């Protein structure tokens, strides 16, 4: 378990260093996740140790939402002041996600129809 946690944390650290070094507009953990993905692709997937450790972390994923919920309660008055912008951004991002998903689905359907012929 220690080796798997170390791998996850080292990937996150490398992502943080990489993002800060290149001044990328990307969160460091996202870059670390991409690095972890590339490592797993090169290794043909996770080993059993990494698989069981990540499953254990995912079982307690809800604990990670506690700080976000606390932040919402702490800044509730600010949310009350800026609710129109928040609602607009939620609606626009949801619409964008639906359009991209629908476009991707149509593209995949066209590609699979082309393969069948």
């Amino acid at each position: 378990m220690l080796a798997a946690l170390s791998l996850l944390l080292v990937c996150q650290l490398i992502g943080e260093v990489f993002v800060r070094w290149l001044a990328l507009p990307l969160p460091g953990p996202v870059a670390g996740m991409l690095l972890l993905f590339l490592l797993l692709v090169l290794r043909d997937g996770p080993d059993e140790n990494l698989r069981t450790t990540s499953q254990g972390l995912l079982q307690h994923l809800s604990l990670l939402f506690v700080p976000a919920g606390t932040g919402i309660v702490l800044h509730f008055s600010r949310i009350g002041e800026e609710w129109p912008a928040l609602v607009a951004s939620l609606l626009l991002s949801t619409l964008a996600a639906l359009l991209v998903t629908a476009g991707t689905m149509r593209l995949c359907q066209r590609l699979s129809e082309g393969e069948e012929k």
Side-chain angles (χ1 to χ4, degrees):
M1 183 173 181
L2 187 60
L5 285 173
S6 297
L7 175 65
L8 294 172
L9 291 174
V10 164
C11 285
Q12 182 178 355
L13 176 65
I14 292 171
E16 285 282 353
V17 169
F18 187 71
V19 164
R20 289 179 190 246
W21 182 51
L22 295 176
L24 297 173
L26 182 75
V30 173
M33 212 169 26
L34 290 172
L35 174 65
L36 179 64
F37 176 73
L38 291 175
L39 286 173
L40 292 177
V41 167
L42 293 174
R43 290 178 21 179
D44 293 327
D47 60 357
E48 189 60 34
N49 190 17
L50 183 59
R51 184 175 287 124
T52 56
T53 301
S54 61
Q55 287 298 323
L57 288 171
L58 287 174
Q59 287 176 350
H60 302 291
L61 186 65
S62 62
L63 292 175
L64 298 175
F65 292 106
V66 171
T70 304
I72 288 174
V73 170
L74 183 65
H75 297 288
F76 198 69
S77 63
R78 184 170 181 190
I79 292 171
E81 295 168 359
E82 300 180 20
W83 71 267
L86 291 171
V87 169
S89 64
L90 284 171
L91 290 175
L92 288 174
S93 64
T94 301
L95 180 64
L98 287 172
L99 291 174
V100 168
T101 303
T104 304
M105 188 177 101
R106 291 189 71 185
L107 179 65
C108 289
Q109 285 176 336
R110 287 182 188 158
L111 290 175
S112 68
E113 288 173 358
E115 290 177 0
E116 291 175 1
K117 292 180 182 180

PDB file of all heavy atoms in Angstrom, residues 1-2 20-22 24 31-32 40 42 44 49 57 63 79 90 94-95 101 113 116:
ATOM      1  N   MET A   1       0.823  -1.194   0.000  1.00  0.00           N
ATOM      2  CA  MET A   1       0.000   0.000   0.000  1.00  0.00           C
ATOM      3  C   MET A   1       0.867   1.257   0.000  1.00  0.00           C
ATOM      4  O   MET A   1       0.525   2.241  -0.636  1.00  0.00           O
ATOM      5  CB  MET A   1      -0.929  -0.027   1.209  1.00  0.00           C
ATOM      6  CG  MET A   1      -1.867   1.129   1.276  1.00  0.00           C
ATOM      7  SD  MET A   1      -3.044   0.876   2.605  1.00  0.00           S
ATOM      8  CE  MET A   1      -4.010   2.320   2.429  1.00  0.00           C
ATOM      9  N   LEU A   2       1.990   1.199   0.715  1.00  0.00           N
ATOM     10  CA  LEU A   2       2.866   2.359   0.793  1.00  0.00           C
ATOM     11  C   LEU A   2       3.463   2.689  -0.574  1.00  0.00           C
ATOM     12  O   LEU A   2       3.568   3.864  -0.952  1.00  0.00           O
ATOM     13  CB  LEU A   2       3.970   2.115   1.821  1.00  0.00           C
ATOM     14  CG  LEU A   2       4.867   3.293   2.147  1.00  0.00           C
ATOM     15  CD1 LEU A   2       4.051   4.446   2.697  1.00  0.00           C
ATOM     16  CD2 LEU A   2       5.927   2.891   3.144  1.00  0.00           C
ATOM     17  N   ARG A  20       4.063  24.445 -12.430  1.00  0.00           N
ATOM     18  CA  ARG A  20       4.653  25.703 -11.930  1.00  0.00           C
ATOM     19  C   ARG A  20       5.882  26.101 -12.743  1.00  0.00           C
ATOM     20  O   ARG A  20       6.123  27.282 -12.973  1.00  0.00           O
ATOM     21  CB  ARG A  20       5.008  25.576 -10.452  1.00  0.00           C
ATOM     22  CG  ARG A  20       3.774  25.537  -9.592  1.00  0.00           C
ATOM     23  CD  ARG A  20       4.126  25.393  -8.133  1.00  0.00           C
ATOM     24  NE  ARG A  20       2.933  25.128  -7.377  1.00  0.00           N
ATOM     25  CZ  ARG A  20       2.441  25.969  -6.491  1.00  0.00           C
ATOM     26  NH1 ARG A  20       3.042  27.103  -6.261  1.00  0.00           N
ATOM     27  NH2 ARG A  20       1.354  25.651  -5.829  1.00  0.00           N
ATOM     28  N   TRP A  21       6.680  25.115 -13.154  1.00  0.00           N
ATOM     29  CA  TRP A  21       7.888  25.386 -13.915  1.00  0.00           C
ATOM     30  C   TRP A  21       7.565  25.982 -15.284  1.00  0.00           C
ATOM     31  O   TRP A  21       8.221  26.910 -15.738  1.00  0.00           O
ATOM     32  CB  TRP A  21       8.683  24.099 -14.052  1.00  0.00           C
ATOM     33  CG  TRP A  21       9.983  24.240 -14.781  1.00  0.00           C
ATOM     34  CD1 TRP A  21      10.976  25.153 -14.527  1.00  0.00           C
ATOM     35  CD2 TRP A  21      10.430  23.449 -15.874  1.00  0.00           C
ATOM     36  NE1 TRP A  21      12.013  24.963 -15.407  1.00  0.00           N
ATOM     37  CE2 TRP A  21      11.707  23.914 -16.248  1.00  0.00           C
ATOM     38  CE3 TRP A  21       9.885  22.387 -16.565  1.00  0.00           C
ATOM     39  CZ2 TRP A  21      12.424  23.365 -17.276  1.00  0.00           C
ATOM     40  CZ3 TRP A  21      10.615  21.827 -17.582  1.00  0.00           C
ATOM     41  CH2 TRP A  21      11.862  22.319 -17.938  1.00  0.00           C
ATOM     42  N   LEU A  22       6.509  25.447 -15.936  1.00  0.00           N
ATOM     43  CA  LEU A  22       6.130  25.938 -17.255  1.00  0.00           C
ATOM     44  C   LEU A  22       5.047  27.008 -17.207  1.00  0.00           C
ATOM     45  O   LEU A  22       4.615  27.493 -18.252  1.00  0.00           O
ATOM     46  CB  LEU A  22       5.660  24.777 -18.133  1.00  0.00           C
ATOM     47  CG  LEU A  22       6.723  23.735 -18.482  1.00  0.00           C
ATOM     48  CD1 LEU A  22       6.113  22.601 -19.272  1.00  0.00           C
ATOM     49  CD2 LEU A  22       7.860  24.373 -19.254  1.00  0.00           C
ATOM     50  N   LEU A  24       1.852  26.765 -16.583  1.00  0.00           N
ATOM     51  CA  LEU A  24       0.679  26.323 -17.333  1.00  0.00           C
ATOM     52  C   LEU A  24      -0.598  26.686 -16.590  1.00  0.00           C
ATOM     53  O   LEU A  24      -0.635  26.649 -15.358  1.00  0.00           O
ATOM     54  CB  LEU A  24       0.729  24.806 -17.542  1.00  0.00           C
ATOM     55  CG  LEU A  24       1.879  24.273 -18.374  1.00  0.00           C
ATOM     56  CD1 LEU A  24       1.885  22.746 -18.354  1.00  0.00           C
ATOM     57  CD2 LEU A  24       1.772  24.770 -19.797  1.00  0.00           C
ATOM     58  N   ALA A  31      -2.242  17.510 -14.083  1.00  0.00           N
ATOM     59  CA  ALA A  31      -1.045  17.113 -14.817  1.00  0.00           C
ATOM     60  C   ALA A  31      -0.470  15.820 -14.246  1.00  0.00           C
ATOM     61  O   ALA A  31      -0.021  14.943 -14.992  1.00  0.00           O
ATOM     62  CB  ALA A  31      -0.008  18.230 -14.775  1.00  0.00           C
ATOM     63  N   GLY A  32      -0.501  15.692 -12.926  1.00  0.00           N
ATOM     64  CA  GLY A  32      -0.040  14.454 -12.296  1.00  0.00           C
ATOM     65  C   GLY A  32      -0.905  13.272 -12.675  1.00  0.00           C
ATOM     66  O   GLY A  32      -0.407  12.153 -12.866  1.00  0.00           O
ATOM     67  N   LEU A  40       0.469   4.191 -16.559  1.00  0.00           N
ATOM     68  CA  LEU A  40      -0.360   2.995 -16.556  1.00  0.00           C
ATOM     69  C   LEU A  40      -0.546   2.435 -17.960  1.00  0.00           C
ATOM     70  O   LEU A  40      -0.630   1.223 -18.142  1.00  0.00           O
ATOM     71  CB  LEU A  40      -1.719   3.295 -15.911  1.00  0.00           C
ATOM     72  CG  LEU A  40      -1.668   3.588 -14.415  1.00  0.00           C
ATOM     73  CD1 LEU A  40      -3.049   3.945 -13.895  1.00  0.00           C
ATOM     74  CD2 LEU A  40      -1.091   2.426 -13.647  1.00  0.00           C
ATOM     75  N   LEU A  42       1.743   2.638 -20.326  1.00  0.00           N
ATOM     76  CA  LEU A  42       3.015   2.001 -20.638  1.00  0.00           C
ATOM     77  C   LEU A  42       3.191   0.680 -19.894  1.00  0.00           C
ATOM     78  O   LEU A  42       3.851  -0.228 -20.394  1.00  0.00           O
ATOM     79  CB  LEU A  42       4.180   2.945 -20.322  1.00  0.00           C
ATOM     80  CG  LEU A  42       4.265   4.196 -21.203  1.00  0.00           C
ATOM     81  CD1 LEU A  42       5.377   5.116 -20.704  1.00  0.00           C
ATOM     82  CD2 LEU A  42       4.494   3.806 -22.658  1.00  0.00           C
ATOM     83  N   ASP A  44       0.743  -1.351 -19.093  1.00  0.00           N
ATOM     84  CA  ASP A  44      -0.434  -2.194 -19.374  1.00  0.00           C
ATOM     85  C   ASP A  44      -1.363  -2.296 -18.179  1.00  0.00           C
ATOM     86  O   ASP A  44      -1.847  -3.375 -17.836  1.00  0.00           O
ATOM     87  CB  ASP A  44      -0.010  -3.593 -19.838  1.00  0.00           C
ATOM     88  CG  ASP A  44       0.672  -3.567 -21.185  1.00  0.00           C
ATOM     89  OD1 ASP A  44       0.299  -2.705 -22.005  1.00  0.00           O
ATOM     90  OD2 ASP A  44       1.581  -4.388 -21.418  1.00  0.00           O
ATOM     91  N   ASN A  49      -1.494  -4.138  -6.287  1.00  0.00           N
ATOM     92  CA  ASN A  49      -1.291  -3.256  -5.139  1.00  0.00           C
ATOM     93  C   ASN A  49      -1.905  -1.880  -5.394  1.00  0.00           C
ATOM     94  O   ASN A  49      -2.611  -1.329  -4.540  1.00  0.00           O
ATOM     95  CB  ASN A  49       0.200  -3.143  -4.844  1.00  0.00           C
ATOM     96  CG  ASN A  49       0.477  -2.457  -3.527  1.00  0.00           C
ATOM     97  OD1 ASN A  49      -0.382  -2.319  -2.680  1.00  0.00           O
ATOM     98  ND2 ASN A  49       1.713  -2.020  -3.372  1.00  0.00           N
ATOM     99  N   LEU A  57      -9.150   4.165  -1.540  1.00  0.00           N
ATOM    100  CA  LEU A  57      -9.297   5.628  -1.554  1.00  0.00           C
ATOM    101  C   LEU A  57     -10.652   6.039  -2.122  1.00  0.00           C
ATOM    102  O   LEU A  57     -11.286   6.969  -1.627  1.00  0.00           O
ATOM    103  CB  LEU A  57      -8.181   6.260  -2.378  1.00  0.00           C
ATOM    104  CG  LEU A  57      -6.785   6.235  -1.759  1.00  0.00           C
ATOM    105  CD1 LEU A  57      -5.752   6.701  -2.768  1.00  0.00           C
ATOM    106  CD2 LEU A  57      -6.747   7.084  -0.512  1.00  0.00           C
ATOM    107  N   LEU A  63     -15.361  11.878   1.767  1.00  0.00           N
ATOM    108  CA  LEU A  63     -14.694  12.714   2.768  1.00  0.00           C
ATOM    109  C   LEU A  63     -14.022  13.928   2.138  1.00  0.00           C
ATOM    110  O   LEU A  63     -13.840  14.953   2.785  1.00  0.00           O
ATOM    111  CB  LEU A  63     -13.650  11.897   3.537  1.00  0.00           C
ATOM    112  CG  LEU A  63     -14.197  10.812   4.452  1.00  0.00           C
ATOM    113  CD1 LEU A  63     -13.051  10.013   5.051  1.00  0.00           C
ATOM    114  CD2 LEU A  63     -15.058  11.412   5.543  1.00  0.00           C
ATOM    115  N   ILE A  79     -22.046  33.911  -2.172  1.00  0.00           N
ATOM    116  CA  ILE A  79     -22.837  33.165  -3.161  1.00  0.00           C
ATOM    117  C   ILE A  79     -24.172  33.863  -3.378  1.00  0.00           C
ATOM    118  O   ILE A  79     -24.665  33.968  -4.499  1.00  0.00           O
ATOM    119  CB  ILE A  79     -23.027  31.702  -2.704  1.00  0.00           C
ATOM    120  CG1 ILE A  79     -21.685  30.977  -2.746  1.00  0.00           C
ATOM    121  CG2 ILE A  79     -24.046  30.978  -3.565  1.00  0.00           C
ATOM    122  CD1 ILE A  79     -21.701  29.606  -2.132  1.00  0.00           C
ATOM    123  N   LEU A  90     -23.259  27.766 -14.589  1.00  0.00           N
ATOM    124  CA  LEU A  90     -23.713  26.373 -14.478  1.00  0.00           C
ATOM    125  C   LEU A  90     -24.551  25.961 -15.681  1.00  0.00           C
ATOM    126  O   LEU A  90     -24.375  24.872 -16.239  1.00  0.00           O
ATOM    127  CB  LEU A  90     -24.510  26.166 -13.187  1.00  0.00           C
ATOM    128  CG  LEU A  90     -23.703  26.083 -11.907  1.00  0.00           C
ATOM    129  CD1 LEU A  90     -24.626  26.095 -10.694  1.00  0.00           C
ATOM    130  CD2 LEU A  90     -22.846  24.837 -11.902  1.00  0.00           C
ATOM    131  N   THR A  94     -23.250  23.274 -18.466  1.00  0.00           N
ATOM    132  CA  THR A  94     -24.059  22.068 -18.664  1.00  0.00           C
ATOM    133  C   THR A  94     -24.458  21.926 -20.126  1.00  0.00           C
ATOM    134  O   THR A  94     -24.368  20.837 -20.703  1.00  0.00           O
ATOM    135  CB  THR A  94     -25.319  22.115 -17.773  1.00  0.00           C
ATOM    136  OG1 THR A  94     -24.916  22.214 -16.404  1.00  0.00           O
ATOM    137  CG2 THR A  94     -26.169  20.877 -17.956  1.00  0.00           C
ATOM    138  N   LEU A  95     -24.877  23.027 -20.736  1.00  0.00           N
ATOM    139  CA  LEU A  95     -25.229  23.003 -22.154  1.00  0.00           C
ATOM    140  C   LEU A  95     -24.028  22.612 -23.015  1.00  0.00           C
ATOM    141  O   LEU A  95     -24.142  21.799 -23.934  1.00  0.00           O
ATOM    142  CB  LEU A  95     -25.782  24.360 -22.577  1.00  0.00           C
ATOM    143  CG  LEU A  95     -26.198  24.495 -24.038  1.00  0.00           C
ATOM    144  CD1 LEU A  95     -27.355  23.548 -24.351  1.00  0.00           C
ATOM    145  CD2 LEU A  95     -26.573  25.924 -24.356  1.00  0.00           C
ATOM    146  N   THR A 101     -20.979  16.037 -25.662  1.00  0.00           N
ATOM    147  CA  THR A 101     -21.305  14.619 -25.529  1.00  0.00           C
ATOM    148  C   THR A 101     -22.126  14.133 -26.714  1.00  0.00           C
ATOM    149  O   THR A 101     -21.860  13.065 -27.276  1.00  0.00           O
ATOM    150  CB  THR A 101     -22.072  14.372 -24.216  1.00  0.00           C
ATOM    151  OG1 THR A 101     -21.273  14.834 -23.118  1.00  0.00           O
ATOM    152  CG2 THR A 101     -22.385  12.907 -24.029  1.00  0.00           C
ATOM    153  N   GLU A 113     -20.597   2.852 -37.898  1.00  0.00           N
ATOM    154  CA  GLU A 113     -21.351   2.487 -39.114  1.00  0.00           C
ATOM    155  C   GLU A 113     -20.414   2.295 -40.291  1.00  0.00           C
ATOM    156  O   GLU A 113     -20.610   1.424 -41.118  1.00  0.00           O
ATOM    157  CB  GLU A 113     -22.393   3.556 -39.437  1.00  0.00           C
ATOM    158  CG  GLU A 113     -23.565   3.583 -38.490  1.00  0.00           C
ATOM    159  CD  GLU A 113     -24.488   4.776 -38.734  1.00  0.00           C
ATOM    160  OE1 GLU A 113     -24.187   5.611 -39.622  1.00  0.00           O
ATOM    161  OE2 GLU A 113     -25.484   4.890 -38.021  1.00  0.00           O
ATOM    162  N   GLU A 116     -18.739  -1.139 -40.040  1.00  0.00           N
ATOM    163  CA  GLU A 116     -19.632  -2.268 -40.319  1.00  0.00           C
ATOM    164  C   GLU A 116     -19.767  -2.506 -41.806  1.00  0.00           C
ATOM    165  O   GLU A 116     -20.035  -3.609 -42.253  1.00  0.00           O
ATOM    166  CB  GLU A 116     -20.989  -2.032 -39.678  1.00  0.00           C
ATOM    167  CG  GLU A 116     -20.949  -2.085 -38.166  1.00  0.00           C
ATOM    168  CD  GLU A 116     -22.290  -1.726 -37.547  1.00  0.00           C
ATOM    169  OE1 GLU A 116     -23.263  -1.456 -38.309  1.00  0.00           O
ATOM    170  OE2 GLU A 116     -22.371  -1.705 -36.318  1.00  0.00           O
TER     171      GLU A 116
END
